[in-house]
Amino acid sequence: PTGGPGTANRVTGMAVAYPALGLSYYRFRVSEVGQFQPIGAAEPVRQDQGLTGLLARSLAVSAFGATFGQSLGRHAVLASTVRLLRAGAAESTDVVSPDALDRAQDLKVRAQTKLDLDLGLMLRFGPLSLGGTLKHAGEPGLDLGSSKVLLRRRTMCAARACPRARGRSFSASHGDSAR
């Protein structure tokens, strides 16, 4: 939409963890209403205000994740998160101004389901810790009606040194950005 009355956001989330297992769930829904100019509209005349209607859009995403960690000897821990993503979007021009935002939040969203996988590894040798993660290993793609979203693979690595003598620590990290 090119502008309009506003947006509404609803977010729900929770997580539970035990040393070798973590469970998480989150859901968010973003709805917006704005005015639009249809493609191919006639030339505006003096009485025409240029904008002809309201467009209501809503995006809903839910994710349930399970994280598993396993020690590999004395110096390594391997962890993975398997995530079930469910996402969809809907839009409508059949809205009236006084309750347009409520109608946007009530739009029926046709959702699709995808699997996602994150991996992590941590190594520890005395005061030195090294770690790395790979997010969205399978690069799941979501078709959200008028747009497509690809969750690109991302990596991150980090190092930390914590000398025992002084209680100070030094750390550095690097990660690629979501392209």
Side-chain angles (χ1 to χ4, degrees):
T2 59
T7 63
N9 303 317
R10 283 188 280 185
V11 178
T12 304
M14 77 94 174
V16 177
Y18 180 74
L21 173 67
L23 300 174
S24 63
Y25 172 79
Y26 68 88
R27 173 179 170 75
F28 68 88
R29 184 165 185 146
V30 178
S31 302
E32 69 177 349
V33 175
Q35 296 177 316
F36 73 99
Q37 173 69 46
I39 296 174
E43 289 292 319
V45 294
R46 225 170 32 152
Q47 292 83 15
D48 189 358
Q49 299 302 309
L51 297 171
T52 60
L54 291 176
L55 174 65
R57 294 193 297 195
S58 193
L59 165 71
V61 176
S62 298
F64 176 76
T67 302
F68 307 92
Q70 178 63 48
S71 295
L72 305 173
R74 293 180 47 199
H75 301 286
V77 175
L78 178 66
S80 62
T81 298
V82 178
R83 191 176 301 107
L84 186 65
L85 295 171
R86 190 149 169 77
E91 60 183 43
S92 173
T93 55
D94 184 27
V95 292
V96 238
S97 206
D99 66 345
L101 198 51
D102 291 333
R103 293 278 309 269
Q105 291 186 36
D106 292 338
L107 287 174
K108 298 293 182 206
V109 174
R110 288 182 25 199
Q112 60 181 301
T113 304
K114 298 283 183 164
L115 278 176
D116 192 14
L117 176 68
D118 299 343
L119 299 170
L121 177 66
M122 185 180 83
L123 303 172
R124 185 166 184 178
F125 300 96
L128 179 65
S129 297
L130 304 170
T133 61
L134 173 65
K135 289 195 58 82
H136 310 304
E139 292 190 329
L142 300 167
D143 185 3
L144 301 177
S146 60
S147 63
K148 293 182 188 259
V149 175
L150 177 64
L151 299 176
R152 293 198 181 272
R153 191 174 295 121
R154 295 185 344 209
T155 58
M156 184 180 150
C157 59
R160 178 173 181 248
C162 187
R164 292 187 180 118
R166 302 193 194 260
R168 296 181 183 166
S169 67
F170 306 94
S171 61
S173 64
H174 175 72
D176 64 354
S177 61
R179 294 168 250 159

